[in-house]
Each structure stands twice: as structure tokens, then as C-alpha cells.
Amino acid sequence: MERSNVTFVVEFILLGFSDIPKLRNLLFGIFLIIYMSILVGNGLLIIIIKTNPALQTPMYFFLGNFSFLEICYTSVTLPRILRDIWTQKGNIPFLSCAIQIGSLYVLGIAECLLLAVMAYDRYVAICKPLYYPVIMNHKLCVQLVIASWITGMPAQIGVTYYIFSLNFCGSNKLNHIFCDAPPLLKVACGDTSQKELSIHINTLIFIMLPFLFILISYIKIITTILKLPLTSGKSKAFSTCSSHLIAVCLFFGTGSIVYLRPKSSHSAKSDKVFSLFYTTVIPLLNPLIYSLRNKDVIAALRKILPK
């Protein structure tokens, strides 16, 4: 492709942590430990849920799928981050960059929707307990999980194509740790306001709508819990919901900061910090959040692991 003053980019260079080369070995060790911990923590949670008969309920079915989604989500970015730190070469082919963004967005939206499904499950369990076994049957649970995975695919693939239809006529260096829309918009030439607007609209639809659904669900859940007569019943209900609510706040909070800010307010350092938070720290914390506050998971864990 040849146009006046436009050079077709065949690869990008992720600058990552190239500004602190002396910390290369330390960073590689930290990210390797984090990645292995994510794999072990979420993998162990999946095994516990699959093998323990007491955990064969819709809530744990969704949690097992959520843990698998976390493994897939973090595997899109962390292995390449480790490779870039080790080799000190951040080059990524144009097509690989597009695949990474597309995968990241599809899995990210699937996580948003699955968190909304988990909120609906808690709503039915607490607000309509007598109808819970009928409503949340296995067939519906499977359909909700499949819908969470595939609903956002067409739109996110479209957004990815939209981003990579831009002209990149300047530097091909991305001051980021993985391919993402904000750093790509910075190196694109011409007016990118329309593209930026479309990304914001996409974010509002697929991030804010699930978040509003979760918020409404929890308003109804908390209202119902406060009406419960027994203190022990309130405590148990709050306990089962608090873990999910913490995960929701962490994921949606950091994701909204990254994708809903205008391009002019983005800074490379803040983007890296927030991106690391929702792609590595949150998947690392989620097994702890869901297990340490859950007596059933702790009891199942004690049966598997030695004291």
C-alpha cells in the first residue's frame, strides 16, 4: 500500500520497560511469579469446583468459568510481556498486534458480561430463593455462559478492524506494554476523533451497561438482605455477595479509567499502571478474593491440600 507521505507499518515496537533496563531481571522474575500464580490459583479453583460435589451449584459453575476466563485473559498479554523483557526486543508484527487487541477485547467483554450473569445469579438466589432451582437450571446456566463468550465478539472484532484501518504514518513505537487502542491512537496520523468516539461508544455499551445491570441487581439484593430478620442470614448473604462485588469494583473501575478518558488526558505511565492492574493484578487477586471469603471453598481446599 503506497500513499503520499504514508508508510505502511508492518510491525510495531512496544517500548514496555525499556527505560529501566537495569531492572530487567527483577521485572522478569516478578511477572513470571505473577503469571504462574494466576495459572495455579485459578486452575486450583477450577479443580476444586469440578471435583467437590458440594460445589456443584450455579454460583460455583459461573465461578469456575470465570476462573478459566481469567487464565485466557491474562495469557493474551503476560507471555509476550515476559518475552519482551527477556529479549529486550518489543517488536510485534502488525497482524499479531491486531490479534492481541481483538482477543483482549473479546475476553474483556466476556468477563464484563459474566460478572453481570453472576450478579443475576446472586439476585435470584437472595431475592427469589423459592424459584432459584427452577430459574437457574443447568441448561440456562450453560446458555448464559455461552452468551457471555459470544455476545461481544462481532462488535469487538469490528472495533479491532476499525482501529487497524487507521493510517500509521509516523513512529511505529508504542509506549505501552502490550497492543491497545490508546497508544495506537497516539501514533496514528490524521484526525482520529471519530475512531476515538466509536471506541468510547463501544465501551459505554459493553462495559457500562453490564455495570449498571450489576448495580441495579445489588441495590435490590441489599434491600432484600436488610429486610431479613436473622443476623446470621444477613451475614451469610453479605458474605456470598461481597467477594463478587469487590471483583466488580476492581475490574470495572480500572477498565473505565483506561477506556473512557479522552485521548488528551492519557499518559504513558498511568496507562501502563492501570493496564497492568486489570490484566495481571486483578486475575491474581480473584482466586484469593473468592476463596478466602468463602467457607465452602476453604473446606474443599482443606480436603485437597495437606495441612
Side-chain angles (χ1 to χ4, degrees):
M1 186 185 298
E2 292 184 2
R3 297 179 186 177
S4 59
N5 298 325
V6 176
T7 302
F8 181 68
V9 175
V10 295
E11 71 171 11
F12 294 101
I13 298 174
L14 295 165
L15 298 181
F17 303 101
S18 59
D19 55 333
I20 44 175
K22 293 181 180 179
L23 297 178
R24 180 173 70 95
N25 293 333
L26 177 62
L27 288 172
F28 182 83
I30 291 171
F31 282 112
L32 181 61
I33 291 171
I34 289 174
Y35 186 48
M36 296 306 296
S37 299
I38 290 170
L39 296 179
V40 172
N42 286 284
L44 186 59
L45 201 54
I46 294 170
I47 292 170
I48 290 171
I49 291 169
K50 287 289 185 182
T51 58
N52 196 296
L55 303 182
Q56 303 306 306
T57 63
M59 182 178 78
Y60 293 109
F61 174 74
F62 294 133
L63 181 55
N65 280 276
F66 185 73
S67 294
F68 176 70
L69 183 57
E70 289 283 57
I71 291 173
C72 296
Y73 185 67
T74 195
S75 295
V76 173
T77 57
L78 264 178
R80 180 165 281 276
I81 291 173
L82 287 168
R83 174 256 186 194
D84 291 345
I85 294 173
W86 183 256
T87 61
Q88 293 185 297
K89 295 179 181 179
N91 57 304
I92 180 170
F94 188 88
L95 181 59
S96 297
C97 188
I99 292 172
Q100 187 179 60
I101 285 187
S103 302
L104 195 67
Y105 288 178
V106 167
L107 293 171
I109 297 306
E111 188 161 336
C112 292
L113 295 174
L114 191 54
L115 284 168
V117 167
M118 293 168 76
Y120 175 71
D121 172 68
R122 292 299 84 211
Y123 163 74
V124 177
I126 294 172
C127 300
K128 299 181 179 182
L130 297 178
Y131 297 98
Y132 183 73
V134 178
I135 296 174
M136 299 305 295
N137 56 73
H138 183 69
K139 182 180 178 180
L140 178 64
C141 291
V142 173
Q143 289 174 342
L144 288 172
V145 168
I146 294 172
S148 299
W149 278 86
I150 67 174
T151 298
M153 280 187 181
Q156 301 318 306
I157 292 171
V159 167
T160 303
Y161 174 79
Y162 204 45
I163 292 170
F164 283 89
S165 65
L166 290 165
N167 292 321
F168 300 99
C169 54
S171 172
N172 66 338
K173 293 180 180 180
L174 306 179
N175 193 5
H176 206 50
I177 50 176
F178 55 82
C179 284
D180 204 356
L184 281 167
L185 290 173
K186 285 184 178 180
V187 299
C189 57
D191 183 17
T192 61
S193 56
Q194 280 192 327
K195 309 282 186 180
E196 190 176 352
L197 179 63
S198 69
I199 293 170
H200 284 322
I201 292 171
N202 179 74
T203 302
L204 285 170
I205 293 172
F206 287 100
I207 293 183
M208 297 311 295
L209 286 183
F211 179 73
L212 289 174
F213 177 83
I214 293 168
L215 187 63
I216 293 168
S217 298
Y218 270 100
I219 289 172
K220 293 183 178 181
I221 287 169
I222 292 170
T223 304
T224 303
I225 290 174
L226 292 175
K227 293 178 182 178
L228 294 175
L230 298 176
T231 305
S232 60
K234 289 182 180 181
S235 177
K236 186 176 181 180
F238 273 121
S239 179
T240 57
C241 295
S242 59
S243 300
H244 179 250
L245 203 53
I246 292 169
V248 166
C249 292
L250 289 173
F251 184 77
F252 281 95
T254 52
S256 298
I257 290 171
V258 171
Y259 294 107
L260 289 179
R261 289 183 301 164
K263 186 175 71 170
S264 58
S265 66
H266 282 262
S267 70
K269 288 185 178 179
S270 64
D271 284 352
K272 288 179 186 179
V273 171
F274 287 119
S275 298
L276 279 175
F277 199 81
Y278 72 79
T279 57
T280 60
V281 178
I282 294 175
L284 176 66
L285 293 177
N286 275 337
L288 297 175
I289 292 170
Y290 282 106
S291 60
L292 293 179
R293 298 185 61 85
N294 193 305
K295 293 179 181 179
D296 294 332
V297 174
I298 292 173
L301 188 62
R302 284 174 178 168
K303 292 179 181 179
I304 294 177
L305 298 177
K307 291 182 179 180

